[in-house]
Amino acid sequence: MPKHIFVTGGVASSLGKGLTASSLGRLLKLRGLRVTLQKLDPYINVDPGTMNPYEHGEVFVTDDGGETDLDLGHYERFIDENLTRDSNATTGSIYQSVLAAERRGDYLGKTVQVIPHITDEIKRRIHRVATDDVDVVITEVGGTVGDIEILPFLEAIRQFRKDAGRDNVAYIHVTLVPFIGPSSEQKTKPTQHSVTELRSRGIQPDLIVCRSEAPINEDLKNKISNLCDVPDNAVINAADARNIYELPLILHDEGLDTVALDVLRMEGHDIDLTYWQQLVDRVEASTLPVRIGLIGKYVQLPDAYLSVVEALKHAGFHHGARVEIDWIQAEDVEGLLASDRLRHLDAIVIPGGFGSRGFEGKIAAARFAREEGVPCLGLCLGLHAMTSEFARNVLGLPGASSSEMDPSTKYPVIDLMHDQRDITDMGGTMRLGAYYAVLEPGSKVATAYGEPVVSERHRHRYEFNPKFRTRFEEAGLLCSGTSPDKRLVEFIELTDHPYWVATQAHPEFKSRPDRAHPLFRDLVGAALAHRDATPPGLRRMLDEAATEAADAPRSVVAEAAATSDAASGNPGAGDGSP
Ligand code: GLN
């Protein structure tokens, strides 16, 4: 039977519970253990798929088509295992199961209650991922102790130790030790309060992970140990790291995995850190600057593009390059302004998204990249923008667009492939999860992947319209990857351009820090070549222009858009972001 580690958080949200859980997962894996991770989210949405990225950040898609919390992306990147939709459960999905059972009459006329019915369902979700092929299940509980919504989860994990046996369960509580400026002191009080709150729910943590800006000293650790009743060595300090991939090493030095295994009576699994240390060395040696513009519509919240950013960084690690991202609000790129805003970039990424806001800016960026020979990678909606641009300016089809953006366009070069008009439930109505594609031998994508058949994850409703395919190909746009039945175009590229590639999929979800995704790897490779080809004098001017652009006040349009996106709910885009 697998052992269980539960990770809760206190004091403040966004403390990096997910990264702590992920790092611990990696450390246990480096000890030869088989590990899986899971996130329990106390919010009531059935999954984050219908949530606005400004609310929740990126929606991470699993192979089996689960629309899940972005922490699952960290889990996959750190433990290098593909997870499933079962690795994320929300209050909404738990109630949905319980209510369906109630309607079927499964409760035989009993009163259905939070305890035991909801808590039992939570425990069932935890058991579901505790299969025979894992040794340790790490379950992160979203939110912070003290939240009303978290109570059933705390009760369920409290009961879990009673059910599974003391030595089979460990509790880790992640808190904040803030630095109070005027008194120049790090404060333990919030940690004490948070642990008191957790205890009032019947959970005594076995380990406390203290997040802090600067390292905390032994005296402070002793104080926390005494007041929170955990052994000295179970107070783990996670001071701010230079990069997230360094965290497993820091936490190991602090004893996190050693103490956790002690609690679980799992001593005797030696660790070999060589592989991870080499990765961190590579990350630190990645200093060659390369500037990549990300043309998005949710750029105020970089978490909305978390996996894209990580994939770009991984590609940088591969080349020894430090990727600097220029967050470009798509609306700022429209029309004649495009060249001014983009001139200093070494490469461009046009990421996914929903709804028409900013689409014209993405088209302008696609045009600039194509005409100026700037490396460009389009992801999902990015493919839609690059296809529409090519149709308008090369094929000469005025107003060509995606029917998502312009339902009355004469040239719907991107269109719905299935009739979705009758759909009223906005959850899960997209092409979701992993699909195979067959690549055109000799194409850029086939060379990048080095394989003839690849699998990537999808999340979209609209597709390349095959009715226009011949016209595109005659004009030099290569459909370099299609679905195995050849009906759907999955990859496009230009042969006579250094790197102008787009995919209908979201390859960013499969990139790993030690195995950069081939499309991102080659984008950054092309970006470095583009940079090298720029004469030094011009490069200096462009660098100065870039600094000015970075210092420029934030776009007013973008601020207004952020507010209206957040307020406008979900009128049908599928992610609540018109
Ligand atoms: N909005 C587009 C669609 O639904 C693209 C989605 C995406 O970029 N993930 O097809």
Side-chain angles (χ1 to χ4, degrees):
M1 201 191 72
K3 304 265 184 171
H4 289 265
I5 298 175
F6 293 102
V7 180
T8 54
V11 181
S13 57
S14 308
L15 280 185
K17 254 186 317 183
L19 286 170
T20 305
S22 306
S23 301
L24 177 59
R26 187 68 203 204
L27 290 170
L28 298 183
K29 223 185 144 181
L30 291 170
R31 287 177 182 267
L33 294 164
R34 298 165 306 167
V35 183
T36 196
L37 284 127
Q38 176 185 39
K39 174 98 189 265
L40 302 176
D41 273 312
Y43 55 74
I44 296 177
N45 304 62
V46 173
D47 62 44
T50 52
M51 279 154 100
N52 187 318
Y54 276 132
E55 288 278 310
H56 190 267
E58 154 187 292
V59 174
F60 186 81
V61 181
T62 51
D63 269 343
D64 64 347
E67 296 180 272
T68 70
D69 186 77
L70 51 74
D71 271 322
L72 269 78
H74 286 313
Y75 301 167
E76 286 202 356
R77 288 186 282 272
F78 274 76
I79 64 166
D80 196 11
E81 304 279 346
N82 291 337
L83 302 173
T84 67
R85 59 172 72 241
D86 285 345
S87 300
N88 193 195
T90 69
T91 293
S93 74
I94 286 156
Y95 269 78
Q96 200 176 44
S97 304
V98 170
L99 290 173
E102 188 272 336
R103 291 289 87 183
R104 281 196 307 270
D106 292 2
Y107 297 115
L108 304 174
K110 281 218 157 24
T111 307
V112 180
Q113 293 177 300
V114 172
I115 304 171
H117 301 103
I118 295 297
T119 46
D120 280 354
E121 180 61 24
I122 295 172
K123 289 195 277 182
R124 246 193 307 278
R125 300 296 179 99
I126 299 166
H127 282 299
R128 211 186 266 173
V129 297
T131 54
D132 287 341
D133 40 3
V134 290
D135 300 312
V136 183
V137 178
I138 303 175
T139 301
E140 176 191 352
V141 181
T144 36
V145 298
D147 295 346
I148 288 180
E149 297 86 351
I150 207 175
L151 294 177
F153 293 94
L154 296 183
E155 172 61 13
I157 67 168
R158 181 194 70 77
Q159 292 177 11
F160 208 96
R161 184 177 240 179
K162 199 177 128 284
D163 301 347
R166 257 206 105 64
D167 299 342
N168 295 322
V169 172
Y171 299 111
I172 300 180
H173 191 54
V174 182
T175 72
L176 175 70
V177 175
F179 177 79
I180 307 294
S183 57
S184 293
E185 266 185 308
Q186 290 175 308
K187 293 293 191 185
T188 63
K189 191 71 84 188
T191 298
Q192 295 172 43
H193 279 301
S194 175
V195 170
T196 304
E197 174 70 30
L198 190 62
R199 280 204 194 128
S200 77
R201 302 296 159 198
I203 298 172
Q204 165 64 39
D206 298 297
L207 291 104
I208 300 177
V209 174
C210 301
R211 291 278 294 108
S212 62
E213 231 173 280
I216 60 176
N217 61 31
E218 284 308 309
D219 285 352
L220 231 54
K221 280 189 173 181
N222 284 339
K223 194 168 163 192
I224 293 170
S225 150
N226 286 334
L227 293 165
C228 300
D229 204 17
V230 296
D232 274 343
N233 66 353
V235 180
I236 309 294
N237 182 203
D240 285 354
R242 279 191 300 270
N243 72 74
I244 57 172
Y245 298 109
E246 203 191 350
L247 264 173
L249 300 180
I250 296 176
L251 292 170
H252 174 73
D253 280 348
E254 287 282 311
L256 177 69
D257 49 323
T258 316
V259 180
L261 291 183
D262 273 357
V263 174
L264 296 171
R265 303 269 180 277
M266 288 180 89
E267 301 83 356
H269 297 273
D270 289 341
I271 195 157
D272 182 357
L273 288 169
T274 325
Y275 184 75
W276 205 260
Q277 183 65 59
Q278 282 168 353
L279 168 72
V280 173
D281 291 346
R282 203 158 55 242
V283 173
E284 309 231 306
S286 296
T287 48
L288 213 60
V290 63
R291 199 173 299 121
I292 303 207
L294 193 142
I295 322 289
K297 62 185 278 196
Y298 317 111
V299 292
Q300 263 81 0
L301 183 72
D303 267 4
Y305 301 103
L306 185 60
S307 293
V308 176
V309 173
E310 290 306 311
L312 286 169
K313 285 198 215 158
H314 303 163
F317 306 158
H318 176 91
H319 292 285
R322 191 184 73 246
V323 172
E324 291 166 7
I325 295 182
D326 189 352
W327 298 92
I328 298 175
Q329 182 65 41
E331 286 132 302
D332 293 347
V333 195
E334 286 173 26
L336 291 171
L337 288 175
S339 53
D340 291 346
R341 187 66 187 90
L342 308 179
R343 179 101 28 221
H344 62 287
L345 299 172
D346 301 316
I348 288 174
V349 173
I350 310 182
F354 291 81
S356 59
R357 182 171 71 76
F359 191 61
E360 289 302 320
K362 294 186 177 198
I363 289 184
R367 179 176 191 171
F368 176 80
R370 185 178 55 76
E371 291 181 344
E372 302 289 324
V374 178
C376 180
L377 176 63
L379 309 168
C380 203
L381 187 69
L383 178 139
H384 300 179
M386 288 160 76
T387 305
S388 304
E389 186 280 316
F390 194 89
R392 290 181 194 179
N393 302 316
V394 181
L395 302 187
L397 307 177
S401 194
S402 160
S403 49
E404 177 185 10
M405 314 304 164
D406 180 3
S408 57
T409 173
K410 251 174 88 186
Y411 306 108
V413 290
I414 303 292
D415 203 2
L416 276 184
M417 288 295 102
H418 311 283
D419 192 355
Q420 302 209 337
R421 271 169 304 198
D422 297 333
I423 290 172
T424 50
D425 176 352
M426 292 318 293
T429 56
M430 293 186 257
R431 179 144 86 102
L432 280 168
Y435 285 85
Y436 284 108
V438 179
L439 307 182
E440 184 64 30
S443 62
K444 285 199 176 69
V445 291
T447 313
Y449 280 97
E451 299 173 67
V453 179
V454 296
S455 164
E456 292 290 0
R457 301 177 191 173
H458 289 246
R459 180 170 184 255
H460 58 100
R461 297 194 175 88
Y462 295 81
E463 311 260 1
F464 186 99
N465 187 345
K467 284 190 203 131
F468 293 88
R469 180 167 170 181
T470 317
R471 272 201 261 181
F472 274 106
E473 297 207 305
E474 281 168 3
L477 183 141
L478 176 64
C479 296
S480 47
T482 60
S483 55
D485 65 5
K486 303 212 164 23
R487 275 184 52 236
L488 303 171
V489 173
E490 305 281 40
F491 294 87
I492 59 169
E493 64 186 70
L494 292 179
T495 327
D496 58 353
H497 186 286
Y499 195 84
W500 192 93
V501 171
T503 166
Q504 187 53 74
H506 285 284
E508 66 270 23
F509 295 137
K510 291 182 71 172
S511 184
R512 303 282 197 251
D514 49 344
R515 228 175 29 257
H517 188 284
L519 296 186
F520 286 87
R521 184 199 63 210
D522 286 5
L523 174 80
V524 171
L528 288 166
H530 183 78
R531 191 180 171 84
D532 286 348
T534 314
L538 179 58
R539 165 63 43 205
R540 260 195 308 281
M541 271 166 56
L542 293 174
D543 283 345
E544 277 163 25
T547 319
E548 268 170 40
D551 293 343
R554 289 205 318 178
S555 153
V556 179
V557 183
E559 300 227 6
T563 326
S564 75
D565 272 2
S568 61
N570 176 11
D575 72 343
S577 47

